[in-house]
Structures are given as structure tokens and as C-alpha cells.
Amino acid sequence: MSFLSNIFARRQQSSSVAKDRLQILLAHERGAGEAGESDLIRQLHKEIMEVIARHVAVDQDKVQIKVDRGSGCSMLEIDVEVPQQLSGKRVS
Amino acid sequence: MAKVLVVTSGKGGVGKTTSTAALGAALAQSGQNVVVVDFDVGLRNLDLVMGAERRVVFDLINVVQGDARLSQALIRDKRCETLSILPASQTRDKDALTSEGVARVMDELREKFDWVICDSPAGIERGAQLAMYHADMAVIVTNPEVSSVRDSDRIIGLLDSKTQKAEQGEKVEKHLLLTRYDPARAARKEMLSVEDVLEILSIPLLGIVPESEDVLKSSNVGAPVTLAAPTSLPARAYFEAARRLSGEKLEVSVPVEKRGFFDWLFKRDA
Ligand SMILES: Nc1ncnc2c1ncn2[C@@H]1O[C@H](COP(=O)(O)OP(=O)(O)OP(=O)(O)O)[C@@H](O)[C@H]1O
Ligand SMILES: [Mg+2]
């Protein structure tokens, strides 16, 4: 932004950002073969939904499963919006 | 009322995906709810240009086939919360997209968003026709060179015959977006002029996007040019195009660099 940062803190070249992004992406796509990783996530998704449904009546749309694939590890984030009445009682 | 917009061209590599991302982000920054939908099944790239490639779980085909809910496949942009992407499948083939399935997804998208922007695959075959079928409006991306103009003409013909609007006796609203325009080459008359292209295709001009390294830099870092370099010439052209799509009447200008010495000094290495 500032005058000084422009001169001294040479920003990372956009091409090296591109290379890093591609390496992460391709490592996952190649490793996954045809659809390995997505199949795993889909299976997880299904089973997690089943477990949740066994205990609370939540709308399927209120369960979000997200991934963030990194170079070292990937994050699997599960976001469940629990109905009001339950969230008070059952959090223990 | 939601608007469905297809970004199409016939010819490959003219800038459809770049334009989908840039226009989507420009419209979203004006506060409207926007989803960009990748119809390029098997060769998805919109996720990469938008920087969402690490976050794809489900895709359009999963939703079309009922394996996932729409809400589970939509990825919200991290920089602009009114912008979402619906990725294409990388591994499945395009025959997995049924017309009925696509129709159902488009109806659902219309309810959730103000703009549904469909990034068409190249060509004039089924994939391109599916992407355009539900469109109310079309952005025809054209480069100022003969084969691109010819293919745009083919696509215009399809928009007038193979879309739902056409079947109902209505018209898809068509807009020409001239991209990768090089003012220096145009001045030397080495390239078709804007007037030439407009005369041949005779559809209204939405904007002129110059050939620019800012486009490449933005895709390197995974951001639409209207988010990564909002003051750059191509971004300004896309912002104006987005305003015209929203109904504003603005004169189209030919983009030329007006750089001061200090801009030059400090922008060299970005
Ligand atoms: N205004 C521009 N200036 C410089 N490069 C550009 C510009 N617009 C697009 N490009 C580059 O042209 C190439 C093709 O662009 P893009 O992927 O958007 O085209 P496309 O029409 O979606 O291609 P396809 O038909 O393969 O889907 C990319 O490398 C992109 O960075
Ligand atoms: Mg493309």
C-alpha cells in the first residue's frame, strides 16, 4: 500500500502464487485418480448426515460440509445449525 | 426478478471464463446477489480463476443428479459475500447433465440470486446449448479477429433459435463484449476495428476490454480482475459493462492507459 512497503517489501510474484496453487490442486487431483477424494468426502457427508439425523431433526440444508485442501494437510469443516430448543439443553 | 445471463462465444480461449468472473464480481460488489455457474463440464476452470479450487466438494452434476443439495455445492466467495460459485465437475462427462436436471437447478438459482451467470464451454454443441438455454441475456465474448467474429455470428444464430426464449417467440437480449483489444495494433490497422466488428455482428456493444497483463496476474492469484486489480483498465471496462447490464446508459469508451510517472515507477513489479 504505502510508499515504503512498495519499495522495500517486494511483493510475492503472482507467477509463484500461481505455481503454488497449481501444485496443491494437481497433487489432489492426481492423487485422487478419477474421483477418489470426492467419493470419500461424499461418503463422509452422507454418514455424518445420518448420525446427526439420528439425534436431532435438522434440515439437511443446515448441515454444511466444507473442505480446504492445503499442501500439508486439508481441513474438513462441518457446520451444523442446531434448532433453538436443543442448543440450550444438549450441549453438554 | 432474477436475470440469467450466459457468457458465450463459440470460439475457445477468447475470454469467457475471465469475463464471467470479472462481471460476476463487479455486479456482486454493487450489492447484488450473484452466482457464477461453470458449465464447462470436464474442463472446469472457473473455480481456479475465482480462487475457490481448494474448496470444491460438490458440483453442478451432483446437484443435477440429486446427489447433493444446491446449498451444499455453492461456494461463497471469501472476499465478497454476495458472490457465489457453482463449480462444474472435473471428472464426469457432460452427458451427465440432463436438460430437466439443469432446468430444476436454474429455477432454484433464480429464487436465490439476482444474477445467475453461466460460463459456457467453447463450441456450439450440446454443452454450449445447455448453458444458453435458460438465458434471458447473453454476453457474446469476441476478439477482434476473423475466426472469433465468425463464431460469434454462429452463436448469435443459436441464441435466436435454440433457447427457451426463442422457443417462446421471445428474444434473448444480446450484448457484444470485445476482449483482448489492443489499441496499438488497432491504431496500426492490424486488427479489426470496433466499428468493423459492430457492423458485421450488429448487436449492441457492452464494452471493450483491453489486452492486459493485469488479467493474467489476477488469474495467477485466483481472483477476478475486478477484485484483484479494481483500478486497472480491464477492471474498469468490466465495471462499466456490469453497470450497462444493470440498465445504466453509459457511453462505451476505448480503454487507453493514462499513466503518470509515479504509477509507472511503483507498479512495475506487481
Ligand atoms: N483482456 C485480456 N488480456 C490478457 N489476457 C486475457 C484477457 N482475457 C483473457 N485473457 C487470457 O486468455 C486466456 C483464455 O481466457 P479464458 O479462459 O477466459 O477464455 P475462455 O473463452 O473461457 O476459454 P475456453 O473456451 O477454453 O473456456 C487466459 O489465459 C486468459 O488469462
Ligand atoms: Mg472457459
Side-chain angles (χ1 to χ4, degrees):
Chain A
M1 228 348 101
S2 78
F3 177 83
L4 291 177
S5 65
N6 244 321
I7 292 191
F8 296 115
R10 211 182 147 77
R11 253 177 297 165
Q12 192 181 8
Q13 296 285 317
S14 74
S15 61
S16 72
V17 178
K19 186 177 169 211
D20 293 345
R21 293 176 60 220
L22 275 173
Q23 276 172 336
I24 294 171
L25 177 65
L26 296 183
H28 283 277
E29 284 185 351
R30 288 177 187 148
E34 269 301 280
E37 194 201 12
S38 338
D39 276 353
L40 171 66
I41 292 170
R42 221 164 287 147
Q43 191 63 31
L44 272 172
H45 186 267
K46 191 165 152 269
E47 290 180 17
I48 289 165
M49 291 296 225
E50 284 166 7
V51 172
I52 292 170
R54 233 182 279 151
H55 297 279
V56 277
V58 291
D59 187 338
Q60 292 232 347
D61 284 349
K62 300 285 158 64
V63 183
Q64 288 287 337
I65 300 193
K66 299 185 190 128
V67 285
D68 197 338
R69 300 174 182 83
S71 49
C73 65
S74 298
M75 292 272 290
L76 189 64
E77 184 188 324
I78 302 164
D79 214 322
V80 186
E81 200 180 303
V82 182
Q84 193 92 71
Q85 320 86 279
L86 273 169
S87 57
K89 294 184 222 157
R90 303 255 317 237
V91 178
S92 53
Chain B
M1 256 289 276
K3 288 267 182 204
V4 177
L5 172 74
V6 63
V7 178
T8 186
S9 69
K11 188 170 161 64
V14 294
K16 293 179 291 298
T17 301
T18 303
S19 300
T20 302
L23 289 172
L27 287 165
Q29 285 176 78
S30 74
Q32 307 183 78
N33 266 314
V34 179
V35 62
V36 290
V37 185
D38 193 346
F39 270 88
D40 207 344
V41 174
L43 282 175
R44 76 162 174 234
N45 272 324
L46 187 58
D47 58 333
L48 202 53
V49 171
M50 301 268 301
E53 75 280 0
R54 287 163 42 171
R55 300 167 61 208
V56 176
V57 183
F58 296 108
D59 55 54
L60 177 63
I61 288 189
N62 295 136
V63 181
V64 163
Q65 296 193 328
D67 297 333
R69 305 267 188 124
L70 179 60
S71 63
Q72 289 155 353
L74 287 170
I75 304 171
R76 171 103 41 105
D77 191 276
K78 285 191 169 157
R79 300 147 298 207
C80 179
E81 64 166 16
T82 48
L83 179 61
S84 298
I85 166 173
L86 182 55
S89 170
Q90 180 72 330
T91 49
R92 312 288 284 279
D93 71 291
K94 53 190 180 304
D95 296 330
L97 282 183
T98 59
S99 315
E100 306 75 49
V102 171
R104 187 171 48 75
V105 175
M106 295 307 276
D107 281 344
E108 224 180 308
L109 288 171
R110 271 182 200 270
E111 281 179 20
K112 289 195 177 193
F113 294 96
D114 301 315
W115 288 93
V116 181
I117 308 184
C118 305
D119 181 18
S120 174
I124 53 168
E125 306 301 322
R126 183 158 182 274
Q129 294 189 19
L130 270 176
M132 71 169 63
Y133 186 76
H134 297 274
D136 305 304
M137 305 165 91
V139 167
I140 295 127
V141 180
T142 307
N143 296 161
E145 60 72 42
V146 285
S147 58
S148 174
V149 174
R150 179 201 200 175
D151 289 359
S152 295
D153 193 63
R154 284 292 291 283
I155 279 292
I156 291 170
L158 289 180
L159 286 164
D160 289 338
S161 62
K162 300 278 174 146
T163 53
Q164 192 169 41
K165 279 255 187 264
E167 287 171 3
Q168 295 167 346
E170 296 171 49
K171 286 245 157 180
V172 174
E173 190 184 311
K174 298 182 288 286
H175 299 274
L176 180 71
L177 186 65
L178 213 52
T179 60
R180 311 204 67 166
Y181 181 82
D182 183 339
R185 291 182 58 207
R188 294 196 300 270
K189 305 256 195 272
E190 292 168 6
M191 211 172 53
L192 285 171
S193 72
V194 178
E195 294 74 28
D196 293 339
V197 179
L198 284 176
E199 190 189 320
I200 296 167
L201 295 177
S202 60
I203 57 171
L205 182 62
L206 184 69
I208 305 169
V209 182
E211 174 78 20
S212 162
E213 59 181 22
D214 289 306
V215 171
L216 186 62
K217 283 185 205 157
S218 303
S219 75
N220 277 345
V221 300
V225 70
T226 44
L227 277 176
T231 57
S232 65
L233 284 181
R236 275 188 266 164
Y238 280 121
F239 277 116
E240 285 188 17
R243 287 168 61 190
R244 282 186 205 100
L245 283 175
S246 305
E248 274 186 60
K249 301 264 176 285
L250 289 173
E251 188 97 20
V252 178
S253 54
V254 179
V256 276
E257 196 81 62
K258 292 190 212 85
R259 267 199 181 180
F261 174 71
F262 283 98
D263 288 335
W264 173 79
L265 190 64
F266 294 124
K267 279 192 184 158
R268 273 180 308 177
D269 66 344

